[in-house]
Amino acid sequence: MSQGKRRSRGGIPSSADDVAGNGLLNRRALLGGGLAFASAASAATVTGAAAEPLKDAPWSLETGAVTPVLQTPSRFEKNVVRTLSNPNNEMRTSHARTPHHLLDGTVTPNSLHFTINHSGIPDIDPAQHKLVIHGMVKQPLVFTLDTLSRYPLVTRMAFLECGGNSGAMFSNEPVQATAQGLHGLVSNAEWTGVPLSILLDEAGVDRSAKWLIAEGADSLALHRSVPVKKAYEDALVAIYQNGERLMPGNGYPMRLLLPGYQGNMNVKFLRRIKVVNEPAMSYYEARTYSQILPGGKAYRFHFLQEVKSFITNPSFGQALKGPGYYGISGIAYSGNGRIAKVMVSADGGTSWAEAALQEPVLPKAFTRFRMPWRWDGQPVVLQSRASDDAGNTQPTRAEFVAVRGQTKKPVASANAFPNQHYNGPTSWGVASDGSIKHVYA
Amino acid sequence: MSMRNVLIATAAAVLALGAAYAAETPNLGQPIAEADVAAWDIAALPSGVGLPVGSGNAVEGAKVYAAKCAACHGDEGKGGPIVRAPLFGGPPLTEGIDVRKTIGNFWGHATTLFDFTRRAMPFNQPRTLTADEIYATTAYLLYLNKIIGENDVIDAKTLPQVKMPNRDNFIIRFPDKI
């Protein structure tokens, strides 16, 4: 990996601000280094005919519309929606994916947070919902939303990612899909709730117990085993999502939040926590969210969602409108802690430059990275690679496949789940006409 | 900050919170007797903890299956209109990272089958089966997967002893997190 190497081609001279191949620019341009930015990009990008004279548009000449109680995005943003795997609620799992390629920043709006429901979304009356903590405790206790709301609450950002997110990346040939299709089963929100440790202590948990069984009030009574250790690290019983009550699909009225841990373990509609001495080996942990490895063994208890990143802009589904300046940006996160750095390559991983990280960089939460770029109009391959502060770096695709394998035949669609916990890179191949394909590099 | 420092900082923060609360936490939970949790206490663990009184074998299970499961899963577990994949068989796991996981080729514990049927099946009428019906259909599906004999009795004692073919094939991914 050659960092900071200057290259040029295609007749556009390399400037002092080039930091890696195919036009990656010094990220100081994003951090108030206005001069560097100007010298790198401005003069070269003023092209084409002059703008037309300005005049008032119709909406500037009439009184606006009524103010609604609950506001929704502009009618011009109708395409910014989740994609559904099961729109008719047939008897199977329903996935709704976050449109990462149409969003920016780090917070996923509640209406666009991904959801997976294995038997539909229960219609829970919060006044009647109960959470019981029992098993290896001195005194079993029942909590309600009302009582939990009176506890000293804690607020934190956390990403949630399905263990199956990016499943199509196991395909032996790249599946042509947007960042939403490929990676839409991860989102990031500000969660507010009660530290689970407080509730366990109030019930008088037997500290020799190693496991909790967390169970939901859905029709499958979905349950997962959670180490008591995690409960005392940073687990919350979350009752607010981005400032409002949880979305029904995200576990209304209360869910377990295990920052950095596999989505399915963050049990929604939480109604029961049983303190026990052995894992339940539930259907979802022992079957669905266990991963077959090359050679035939399988991983069990893949708790962590490991360090990962992908570029959302530009990405598949978008098209570049001619050579010139573009802002590359994407999302990075790690279940192990904070993002330490994100490297970006425009030449398929030959040379790399360090992206700017949007502050604040929070543990187990989305970090937005940005990289200024001057496209020379020639084919390029964009890729990102994140490292976390625990010392982990995203593997290359080759490194990942060497350990976890890939399919023998191409996967038919981004909705397929050949395997789970892909955290290798994603590469976008930009053709000279500005179109973007998903490629492996 | 190194991971270790983050952990220490996080632990300190949690401890600080804990300490602040320890003096006086709200204690708003309502006491309940363990016996009154029984209706929800449905998890059947690999050791047998949580298994109810009752029993059944595959012969009885075939009848329950035909009446209460076949509409979705097809005759004799061969796959039906709602769940197309059969409830048995499946290629060896060595054939690829994306082979279909089944009770026979993947599940490590027979208690998982009892537990899932008990809490989630029939899909549109969960938690309507009697303990005998759950034991019997469990026996039937184990029999279809050639794991037990047709007349083997499955109950709270025998179920945890059933050795699933793939039981010893798992690697705990993060043992230090347990």
Side-chain angles (χ1 to χ4, degrees), chain A residues 57 120 130 135-136 153 194 230 240 262 265 267 274 278 288 294 364 367 380 387 395 437:
Chain A
K130 292 188 169 94
M136 295 169 68
L153 301 177
V194 184
K230 180 65 174 172
Y240 290 94
Q262 190 184 71
M265 296 177 72
V267 172
K274 185 176 188 184
E278 61 178 311
T288 308
K364 305 175 189 181
T367 294
V380 304
S387 304
K437 282 192 105 173

Side-chain angles (χ1 to χ4, degrees), chain A residues 134 198 221 229 278 290 408, chain B residues 34 47 95 101 119 176:
Chain A
H134 73 122
I198 294 179
K229 220 180 201 177
E278 61 178 311
S290 287
K408 289 175 191 148
Chain B
E34 190 68 48
S47 65
E95 270 187 23
K101 297 169 184 167
R119 70 178 58 241
D176 58 315

Side-chain angles (χ1 to χ4, degrees), chain A residues 48-361:
Chain A
E52 282 177 28
L54 303 176
K55 54 181 189 187
D56 272 329
W59 52 81
S60 302
L61 297 170
E62 62 189 26
T63 310
V66 65
T67 300
V69 285
L70 201 60
Q71 58 180 0
T72 52
S74 155
R75 67 189 173 92
F76 296 101
E77 300 295 322
K78 285 224 156 47
N79 63 325
V80 186
V81 291
R82 303 184 302 174
T83 45
L84 306 181
S85 68
N86 185 5
N88 299 322
N89 201 26
E90 288 160 15
M91 276 192 251
R92 58 189 167 87
T93 302
S94 301
H95 311 85
R97 289 171 160 84
T98 297
H100 292 300
H101 61 308
L102 303 173
L103 301 175
D104 206 309
T106 55
V107 176
T108 311
N110 286 342
S111 54
L112 298 174
H113 200 289
F114 92 88
T115 62
I116 300 179
N117 289 285
H118 296 283
S119 61
I121 301 173
D123 180 24
I124 298 178
D125 175 354
Q128 291 180 49
H129 180 83
K130 292 188 169 94
L131 165 64
V132 65
I133 298 182
H134 73 122
M136 295 169 68
V137 298
K138 279 207 194 76
Q139 174 60 63
L141 294 174
V142 173
F143 297 91
T144 62
L145 184 63
D146 264 0
T147 51
L148 289 185
S149 302
R150 287 169 57 189
Y151 275 70
L153 301 177
V154 170
T155 295
R156 67 161 297 155
M157 298 292 292
F159 77 85
L160 266 178
E161 181 175 37
C162 170
N165 192 34
S166 322
M169 300 298 291
F170 283 91
S171 176
N172 67 342
E173 280 172 26
V175 173
Q176 296 308 318
T178 59
Q180 174 176 33
L182 295 172
H183 306 303
L185 299 178
V186 63
S187 304
N188 190 65
E190 186 205 75
W191 301 93
T192 296
V194 184
L196 178 56
S197 56
I198 294 179
L199 305 180
L200 291 175
D201 282 344
E202 287 187 349
V205 65
D206 177 343
R207 291 304 294 268
S208 75
K210 277 209 150 70
W211 293 91
L212 307 174
I213 299 174
E215 186 178 278
D218 53 302
S219 75
L220 302 179
L222 189 151
H223 68 316
R224 289 294 306 261
S225 306
V226 176
V228 170
K229 220 180 201 177
K230 180 65 174 172
Y232 279 88
E233 255 171 51
D234 56 3
L236 295 182
V237 176
I239 56 176
Y240 290 94
Q241 171 182 2
N242 289 331
E244 58 185 342
R245 291 292 189 189
L246 308 190
M247 285 285 133
N250 291 114
Y252 184 83
M254 57 183 72
R255 76 175 305 162
L256 195 56
L257 185 79
L258 306 174
Y261 275 30
Q262 190 184 71
N264 184 258
M265 296 177 72
N266 294 252
V267 172
K268 301 190 283 192
F269 326 111
L270 186 67
R271 78 167 187 186
R272 186 167 79 103
I273 289 175
K274 185 176 188 184
V275 184
V276 291
N277 240 341
E278 61 178 311
M281 295 300 175
S282 78
Y283 177 75
Y284 285 99
E285 66 204 21
R287 182 251 187 217
T288 308
Y289 292 103
S290 287
Q291 300 81 30
I292 301 173
L293 298 167
K297 290 208 175 283
Y299 276 152
R300 171 179 283 161
F301 297 132
H302 201 312
F303 302 137
L304 278 172
Q305 296 299 129
E306 294 173 283
V307 62
K308 183 160 161 181
S309 70
F310 50 89
I311 292 170
T312 54
N313 207 330
S315 65
F316 183 93
Q318 305 164 353
L320 300 189
K321 295 178 181 76
Y325 179 86
Y326 291 91
I328 295 172
S329 103
I331 293 164
Y333 52 96
S334 169
N336 265 310
R338 284 182 171 78
I339 289 300
K341 71 173 176 187
V342 178
M343 303 300 287
V344 172
S345 173
D347 53 16
T350 307
S351 66
W352 297 85
E354 192 170 345
L357 301 185
Q358 183 66 63
E359 295 286 346
V361 177

Side-chain angles (χ1 to χ4, degrees), chain A residues 6-29:
Chain A
R6 278 180 209 151
R7 287 235 228 128
S8 70
R9 67 159 192 215
I12 298 181
S14 142
S15 102
D17 293 302
D18 278 27
V19 288
N22 290 352
L24 294 184
L25 302 174
N26 196 317
R27 71 202 151 101
R28 273 183 294 117

